[in-house]
Each structure stands twice: as structure tokens, then as C-alpha cells.
Amino acid sequence: MPDSKQVVAWAQGKLWRIDPFKSSAAEIPFHVKDERQITPALRFAHEVAPATFDSKMLRWVKVSPDGRRVVFSSAGYLYTSELRDGQPVGEARRLTSQTERFEYFPAFSRDGKQLVYVSWTDADQGRVRVLDLAGGRDTIVTPEPGKYLSPAFSPDGRTVAYQKAKGGFLTSPWNSLEPGVYVAAADGKGQPRRVTKDGEAPQFGADNDTLYVTRKQTTGEVDSNHQLVRLNLVERSEFAVAKSEFATRFTVSPDGQWLGFTERFHTYVTPLAPAGKLQTVGPKAEAMPVKKLDVNAGDDLQWSGDGKSQPYALHYALGNELFTVPLTQALQPGFKPAERGAPIKLTLTADKPKGRIAIVGARIVTMSASKPDEVIEDGAILVDGDRIAAIGPRASVTIPAGTETIQAAGKTVIPGLIDAHWHGTMAESEIVPQQSWINYASLAFGLTTLHDPSNRTSDIYTQSEMQRTGRVVGPRIFSTGTVLYGAKADFSAVINSLEDAQTHLKRLKSAGAISVKSYNQPRRDQRQQVLEAARETGMMVVPEGGSLFQLNMSMVVDGHTGVEHALPVAKVYDDVKQLWPQTQVGYTPTLNVAYGGLDGEHYWYARTDVWRHPILSKFVPKAVLEPRSVRRETAPEEDFNVIQVAKTATELQRAGVPVNIGAHGQREGLGAHWEMWMMGLGGMTSLEAIRTATLNPARYLGLDKDIGSLESGKLADLVIIDGDVLKDIRQSDRISQVMQGGRVFDIPSMNEVWPAKKARKPFFFDGANASAPVDAMAAGVEEGHGHGD
């Protein structure tokens, strides 16, 4: 330093010369010329609402013991298809005709003449049933209702084993006492008997007195131990026969001599050690030979044949493809699994309304891409079926005679909200209810479409297909499915090559994914391998932000679809503002859970009486809502770091970075409005804030051809708001009606009023049901989402 009394320091994105003795500071002007190589952001267009679609989420795919039939559950009902030489013949058909109950967990008897399954209704809960496949007679096995899972026949077909689970969050807590594994007579006579308190996925082996169950023990923060335990039903003794750190499913051959297992999405087979010896299994186990059965992944691993007149074969499914591997073939040296299976054809019809309806007199915020600031005063919207037929000033829209009309003078209409980063429970113990209060709440707040970047694959894609077919009510659902988790867990996605990445993306795409979530894959080359595999498979990649600024910037230049979660620095400067807008990489700051200090969710608990909200309180059980929101902490405004995060989001959006709302599942639907309100606290205008919840996320997810704005030809997704939300963004939750694909719901009742008049059925916590044991219901509630996703 020329003058030892002066100090040079970096602060607020600038270089300063500081004289500590004179208490003065002067900026040192400087300019850095730099270049960065960027990769184009991944984004692919997707059709939102085709009239028909192929079901991809086939659950509990089971092949009959003689290999001539396959049964599975899709979108809530059982279907079957004949098999010829392992190939499904023609279109799958419904196995039953009833529509009052959902049907889950099918399994064949050893002779193939009967099928055991679980039926479910929200009002009467579950029953284990046995269906005679020839005569159609349906027998109820369980005398009492409950939450029953994974039934299985004994070898002689006279006994059924099943698991009883607890309810109490998404479904009713009633009938949850004495959970465990039970056995009962298949003819429905007699009383079921609990054989163990701890276990799941019961299955019989070679005889009627030997039952196997799976148990999982957590031995540390991330360590776990999965065991296959053999129960002697006569002696009432038990012995662990196999263990694994990561295997999540075991399946024993009918003669009890072979063991199939699923570990980190892949399927394997190995000999089962003789009785009396605990066997450690895994892909690299050395005690017994192990053969991998799949290329990309496999679900529902099972056996067919008796090993005598009918040779053993293993079957598994991936999406809507069925794979069959004869055991003798798998054991041959040089065996290579097939990458493609036999397609199971099931075409489902989307739920689309018929008829015309018009909304007249409202202020319309179109969010049109060509006219982003367009507001039509005294406008009209004509809807035909599920799409907008015409939109404009009232005088310019011709409304045919006989059209149903909604008079909306003094109200504001905006496009349906799209949450780019939503989380929520889709099923409870794999059971999707007929009415999910979480999804009803979300739709009631105008959230017509969501994207969930972390949910169990089978649960969320089942819900998605149910919603598309009209079997459940809720937002349209898009998701990454299970995240590509980079840390140690039994669901880790191990990626050390492009080939590894390709298998994981093919696995998720087969189930219905349009995107994947790269979740804390620790090395940059691993994340780049995921990106390259996504380019090849036509998928988008949204990464976990990870609370690391340099990591975020590498995500931007590497071409991820966007960055999920807030940047972990308080402010950004010209380096970021000049680089990021040139990439088309989006930004979803998830203000409700923003990094760096007090977050948005706690801000609104401190500033508003959330538990009294006239919409939210209709759909969220008191035992869930009130403990979180009644007794709340507060802090001065300047202590809420989320406001600074929102200011940075505003600066980035105005610089050219598209910003999206992402409520993270915090407070079922209302959180989406909090996101918009916080964008306003960060300096956005109402129009800018609404854009983060409509057109921006539609473009981000490749859905803007069909949704995101109010334009002729697009889907009729819209929200009717009392008052002028353009003057005050805080009025966005004053919703009177929501239209999704042409269907109109009154708010807050969520009764459908067009084209049909359908009253919403009560939830288990409504009215006379409100005396349910809420303490039990609240006990298992976990706010937020594991792994910070």
C-alpha cells in the first residue's frame, strides 16, 4: 500500500479505499471483462390435456401363476389383460364394474382361481376382499373396516395375510388400533388374528404355516437395516433369514429356495440360504451368487410357476411394460437383461366437460405473451367445453343464446395459478383417498396446476392419472417423482457415468415424469451427466439449490431448467444480473422457506390469523392447522430476510430472469398467494407478481401452449376474485369461484356448479365427524419436507 494508513476492502459488490483515521471511504472504480461458456437451458413442450392418454402408472402388476393373465391397479381400479407367450393381448379391461370403491393391492392365489385385493372408500375405509375370477363372487375377509395393505394368499388358498396400518393425516384416524400383520380365513369366516406388531409386505413361502414379513430398522441418521423375517404361525416363533442395508422389497419363491429383491430401483435374484442362517443380500454379496434382472429399473418383482410342471419365472414392471425372466435363463452365464418389455395397453379417457358458459363484466388480466400488461375492463370470456372459445371486451364477444352466464361485474379474473415447486402428501400408506383435503384446499385457492419436484413416484403419478380421468378432484399434477438423491439412502440414485444417468431418467419417464430433480449429486460431472441424459430423453432438470452460491451459478451456466430455492446470498450484483438473463434458466426462490434468516411462512403466521382464513379453515383439519399457526413467534420487519430475497428476485426478473412462485407445500394453496404477496413486498407490481404465478411457470415447465394465460384456444383455467387485485395484490385470496378446464367450483364450499351440480362430500373431520381423535391425527404430522426439497 502506498499509504499504510489506508485499507482496501470489498463490500456491497464494490471495491473501497478506507481511511480508518479519517472515518472516510472512497469507491475504487474497476471493470472486469470476463467470458463464461453456457449451455442452453433444458425445456421441452408438453401437451397438458389430451382427450385420451396411455396409463403409465400401473401399480401392483401381478402375473397369474400359470403366466396367462396379468392384473394391476391403474387410476384407482383393477384391470386385467390376457397374456400369450408373455405378451399382453389387446387393450386391458376393467376387472370389476363398480365405481363406488377404489381397488388396490391385487394378488393371485397359487392356483390362479382367486384374487385378493383391498377396496377403499373414504367413508367406510378399507376392506380385504377375495374375488372368485370365474364366478365373480366377492367375499369380504375383514369383518371390521380399517387401513389394510398388501394381502397375500397361503399356498392352499384358505388363508389370507395382510397388514393393518394407522390412519390419521390424509385419511380418518378411526379403526387404527392394533396395527400389524394379520392372518384371516379367505372365506371371511372367523376372526382375524394378529401374528406380529412389526412388519409389512407379508408373503407365504413353501407351506401354509410359514409367513415372511419385511422390517426396517433405522440405526442412525442415514443408516438402516432391512430384514426379511420368517414367522412360524404354529409355534409363533420368528427368525431373520435375510438382511440388507438398502434392499426395500423381498419376494420369496413358492418353494422357499430363491429370493428376489429390489435395491435402489433395480431387481435381483439369489438363492435363499438354508434355514438357521442369516443371509446378507445385495448386488455385491459374496456368500451366494446374485443376478441382476433389469437394465433400467423394475417394480413389483414376483414369481410365477411351481418349479415342477411350470418352470419358475420372475416378473417385474417398469411403467406400462411387463418383463418376464425365466429363472433358468437368469442363471445362465452371460445372461443379459432386456431393456424393453411387453407393453400393457390401457387407454384412459380424460375428463372433459361439455357445454358453453360465459363470464361477463369482469376485469380480465390476460397475461397474454404478446400483450403481457393487457387488462380488459368490462370483459367477457366464452368457454366451450374445456377451452376458451373467445375473450375480449364484452361488446366484442358474441355469446350464443342459451349459454350459461356468470355475472362478474366488479370482480377480477386472472389465469389459474401454477405452483412450480409444490409438495404435499399424495397417498397414505400407498392408499390414495377419494377426496384429498390437501388437493381440495389447493384447488380452492385457484391453484389449477402444480409441479412437485419431490414425491414418491407411484403415489403422485397415480394421483395425476386419477385427476386427469376425473376420478379425484384437485390441481393438474406434474412431477419429477422420487428425486435423484445423491447422498446415502435406500432410495439413492447412484450416478457415476452417463449410462447411470440414462437409466434413472428412463425409469422416471416410464412412469410419467416430464422432469427430474437432481438432488445434491455432489460432483458437477454427475449433475452434467444428468443434464446430458435429459437432453437425450426429452426431459427437464430442476436441481436442489443446496444453499451454495457457487453451486447455483454452475447450475445456471450448465443449462438446468431452473434453480430451485433461494440464492443463499443477501444481494446479487452486475456479474449475476448480466450472466443469468442470457441463459433462459428460470428461478423459483420458494419464498415460504427462503434461506438466510426468517422465512415467508413464519412472516404470514406472525402478521395474519392464518387459522381463521375462510377458505383454508374449511379444508385443513384443526389438529393440523392450529398447532402451527395459533401460537406464533414474531420479529421486526427488518429481521425477515425473506423480504431481501424477494427484492433480489424482483431485480433478477426485471433484468430478464423468469421468476416463478414455489410455495413448497407450506399451507395448502394459501402458500401460493403468500408467494405473490412477498413478491410484492420485494417491489414487484401486482402484474409482475401475478406473472410469477401464471405465465412464467407455464413457460418454465413447457406447458404454455395450453395454460398460463387467458387466450382463445387455451384451457379454461381461471380464478374469479372479489375486488381489484391489481390495486392490492393482497386481495388475491378473496376468491369466489375457480374454473379448471371449464368446470366451475364455488368457493369456499368447493361444490361443482357447472356443468354438473355436485356437492362436495364431507371430509372425515367435517361436521359430525369432527369429534375424530385429533390427537392421534396430529401425532404423525410433519411440517415441511424431508431433505429440504
Side-chain angles (χ1 to χ4, degrees):
M1 291 283 300
D3 186 343
S4 60
K5 296 179 181 180
Q6 294 186 343
V7 177
V8 175
W10 174 265
Q12 298 180 342
K14 298 177 181 180
L15 194 62
W16 301 88
R17 180 181 290 112
I18 302 172
D19 188 330
F21 295 99
K22 296 182 179 179
S23 299
S24 64
E27 181 183 349
I28 303 174
F30 75 99
H31 176 77
V32 175
K33 185 176 182 180
D34 185 41
E35 292 185 359
R36 287 285 186 273
Q37 180 179 345
I38 61 173
T39 303
L42 285 167
R43 192 159 287 109
F44 298 95
H46 295 276
E47 188 176 3
V48 174
T52 61
F53 61 95
D54 291 335
S55 176
K56 292 186 176 182
M57 194 64 255
L58 311 186
R59 307 183 75 184
W60 309 294
V61 177
K62 296 296 174 63
V63 174
S64 61
D66 62 7
R68 296 180 181 178
R69 190 176 196 179
V70 62
V71 171
F72 57 90
S73 178
S74 172
Y77 297 130
L78 296 182
Y79 292 83
T80 185
S81 182
E82 302 303 314
L83 297 176
R84 188 178 302 152
D85 297 326
Q87 300 287 322
V89 179
E91 184 89 8
R93 57 180 175 81
R94 278 286 307 274
L95 188 62
T96 64
S97 59
Q98 64 81 31
T99 57
E100 298 300 315
R101 306 179 295 270
F102 286 158
E103 301 162 342
Y104 301 130
F105 302 105
F108 283 100
S109 60
R110 293 280 176 97
D111 62 9
K113 295 180 180 180
Q114 298 182 95
L115 192 81
V116 63
Y117 69 100
V118 172
S119 66
W120 177 266
T121 69
D122 291 354
D124 297 329
Q125 298 190 322
R127 301 279 185 160
V128 177
R129 295 171 179 264
V130 170
L131 176 65
D132 181 87
L133 292 171
R137 183 168 58 90
D138 197 75
T139 302
I140 296 177
V141 173
T142 48
E144 301 294 334
K147 183 170 290 181
Y148 301 119
L149 319 172
S150 306
F153 278 107
S154 61
D156 63 8
R158 296 179 180 178
T159 302
V160 169
Y162 57 88
Q163 180 187 352
K164 182 183 180 183
K166 293 181 179 180
F169 179 63
L170 201 60
T171 63
S172 171
W174 290 114
N175 304 304
S176 291
L177 297 177
E178 298 184 322
V181 174
Y182 287 73
V183 293
D187 60 7
K189 299 177 181 179
Q191 194 68 21
R193 173 169 66 96
R194 185 168 67 173
V195 295
T196 179
K197 298 179 181 179
D198 180 18
E200 59 185 27
Q203 57 184 304
F204 285 88
D207 60 74
N208 302 311
D209 297 329
T210 302
L211 184 70
Y212 295 88
V213 298
T214 300
R215 291 176 180 164
K216 179 179 178 180
Q217 297 175 334
T218 301
T219 56
E221 185 175 346
V222 296
D223 295 324
S224 61
N225 179 23
H226 303 77
Q227 290 190 345
L228 180 68
V229 179
R230 183 174 59 238
L231 309 177
N232 187 304
L233 299 181
V234 176
E235 299 176 356
R236 300 196 177 189
S237 61
E238 63 178 56
F239 181 78
V241 297
K243 68 175 183 178
S244 170
E245 185 175 15
F246 299 121
T248 51
R249 297 283 181 179
F250 298 103
T251 178
V252 180
S253 64
D255 63 1
Q257 296 183 19
W258 297 89
L259 180 64
F261 63 94
T262 304
E263 178 170 321
R264 288 176 166 175
F265 312 106
H266 290 296
T267 56
Y268 304 86
V269 65
T270 186
L272 187 57
K277 183 178 181 180
L278 178 61
Q279 178 179 349
T280 300
V281 302
K284 298 180 180 180
E286 298 178 353
M288 294 285 186
V290 179
K291 286 297 184 82
K292 183 182 174 187
L293 303 175
D294 65 77
V295 174
N296 295 315
D299 292 319
D300 304 315
L301 185 65
Q302 55 160 315
W303 296 85
S304 70
D306 58 11
K308 299 174 183 177
S309 60
Q310 296 172 321
Y312 285 140
L314 290 118
H315 307 272
Y316 63 88
L318 182 60
N320 56 7
E321 291 183 296
L322 174 66
F323 293 78
T324 298
V325 184
L327 179 61
T328 54
Q329 180 181 326
L331 299 177
Q332 291 294 321
F335 164 71
K336 292 185 178 180
E339 183 165 5
R340 301 305 302 268
I344 300 174
K345 182 68 173 176
L346 175 60
T347 304
L348 297 178
T349 301
D351 175 53
K352 292 180 179 289
K354 295 181 180 179
R356 290 191 297 261
I357 186 169
I359 303 168
V360 297
R363 177 184 304 102
I364 303 172
V365 181
T366 67
M367 285 290 129
S368 166
S370 59
K371 300 177 181 178
D373 296 329
E374 180 181 42
V375 178
I376 302 172
E377 299 290 346
D378 191 18
I381 303 173
L382 177 63
V383 174
D384 192 347
D386 66 341
R387 294 192 178 261
I388 297 172
I391 183 171
R394 190 202 301 227
S396 69
V397 176
T398 301
I399 299 175
T403 300
E404 183 80 8
T405 302
I406 298 175
Q407 298 294 336
K411 300 178 185 290
T412 304
V413 177
I414 66 173
L417 305 183
I418 304 167
D419 193 331
H421 191 123
W422 185 98
H423 295 299
T425 303
M426 285 290 174
E428 194 170 76
S429 301
E430 299 187 82
I431 290 175
V432 175
Q434 294 173 310
Q435 288 191 157
S436 164
W437 55 264
I438 294 175
N439 287 350
Y440 265 82
S442 298
L443 185 58
F445 276 106
L447 183 60
T448 52
T449 302
L450 63 86
H451 178 254
D452 188 330
S454 177
N455 211 305
R456 188 159 65 176
T457 299
S458 58
D459 291 348
I460 196 158
Y461 295 127
T462 296
Q463 270 273 17
S464 176
E465 292 191 353
M466 284 178 158
Q467 189 279 331
R468 293 171 74 178
T469 56
R471 296 175 187 176
V472 299
V473 172
R476 289 192 185 86
I477 299 169
F478 297 91
S479 178
T480 65
T482 302
V483 297
L484 301 180
Y485 193 50
K488 181 181 179 182
D490 55 19
F491 63 96
S492 297
V494 179
I495 298 173
N496 289 308
S497 67
L498 175 59
E499 291 73 21
D500 288 343
Q502 289 167 335
T503 65
H504 290 297
L505 271 74
K506 290 175 182 178
R507 164 176 62 86
L508 289 163
K509 187 169 185 176
S510 72
I514 66 170
S515 57
V516 296
K517 185 167 188 177
S518 179
Y519 195 104
N520 287 357
Q521 292 289 335
R523 302 193 315 268
R524 187 176 182 185
D525 69 303
Q526 292 171 306
R527 300 191 294 274
Q528 290 172 334
Q529 288 160 1
V530 172
L531 289 168
E532 181 58 29
R535 292 186 188 93
E536 296 175 358
T537 54
M539 301 180 75
M540 296 173 286
V541 180
V542 292
E544 176 76 4
S547 190
L548 297 168
F549 177 70
Q550 295 298 335
L551 175 67
N552 297 156
M553 292 301 101
S554 75
M555 292 170 174
V556 169
V557 299
D558 284 348
H560 286 83
T561 303
V563 174
E564 304 288 305
H565 293 306
L567 297 176
V569 295
K571 296 181 180 181
V572 298
Y573 300 98
D574 285 346
D575 54 346
V576 176
K577 294 177 187 176
Q578 291 174 15
L579 171 67
W580 199 337
Q582 299 182 65
T583 68
Q584 299 305 306
V585 173
Y587 181 37
T588 310
T590 60
L591 300 175
N592 281 315
V593 291
Y595 296 134
L598 290 173
D599 56 45
E601 181 181 12
H602 290 89
Y603 181 91
W604 297 108
Y605 289 146
R607 299 298 189 266
T608 62
D609 292 345
V610 174
W611 75 97
R612 291 189 172 125
H613 195 286
I615 298 175
L616 191 71
S617 60
K618 290 286 192 298
F619 297 99
V620 181
K622 287 184 178 181
V624 175
L625 179 60
E626 292 187 357
R628 183 73 167 174
S629 60
V630 172
R631 296 182 179 180
R632 66 269 204 215
E633 298 175 344
T634 189
E637 198 84 355
E638 60 270 19
D639 278 11
F640 282 90
N641 182 67
V642 65
I643 297 176
Q644 179 57 53
V645 175
K647 289 179 179 178
T648 297
T650 300
E651 293 173 8
L652 288 172
Q653 173 146 299
R654 289 175 179 173
V657 177
V659 174
N660 316 300
I661 66 163
H664 197 257
Q666 313 310 113
R667 282 289 70 90
E668 306 87 4
L670 178 58
H673 294 266
W674 289 348
E675 290 275 315
M676 288 193 290
W677 299 353
M678 287 182 285
M679 297 294 185
L681 292 176
M684 286 192 189
T685 66
S686 292
L687 277 173
E688 288 175 319
I690 294 169
R691 189 168 298 114
T692 69
T694 54
L695 185 59
N696 281 5
R699 286 172 164 171
Y700 182 64
L701 300 170
L703 309 176
D704 51 309
K705 179 182 176 182
D706 292 310
I707 58 176
S709 60
L710 300 177
E711 300 178 74
S712 181
K714 286 197 172 185
L715 287 166
D717 288 6
L718 54 86
V719 187
I720 302 176
I721 300 169
D722 290 331
D724 188 353
V725 72
L726 297 182
K727 289 184 178 178
D728 180 7
I729 192 64
R730 288 283 302 276
Q731 293 189 24
S732 68
D733 65 335
R734 299 179 185 178
I735 301 169
S736 59
Q737 290 177 316
V738 172
M739 178 182 286
Q740 182 193 43
R743 293 194 182 277
V744 181
F745 299 88
D746 262 347
I747 309 301
S749 69
M750 271 299 290
N751 295 330
E752 183 182 334
V753 294
W754 173 264
K757 294 189 182 300
K758 296 180 183 178
R760 173 182 61 81
K761 293 181 180 179
F763 292 112
F764 64 86
F765 51 84
D766 280 338
N769 300 323
S771 60
V774 293
D775 290 341
M777 181 174 64
V781 174
E782 180 179 329
E783 289 287 346
H785 302 274
H787 316 301
D789 51 1

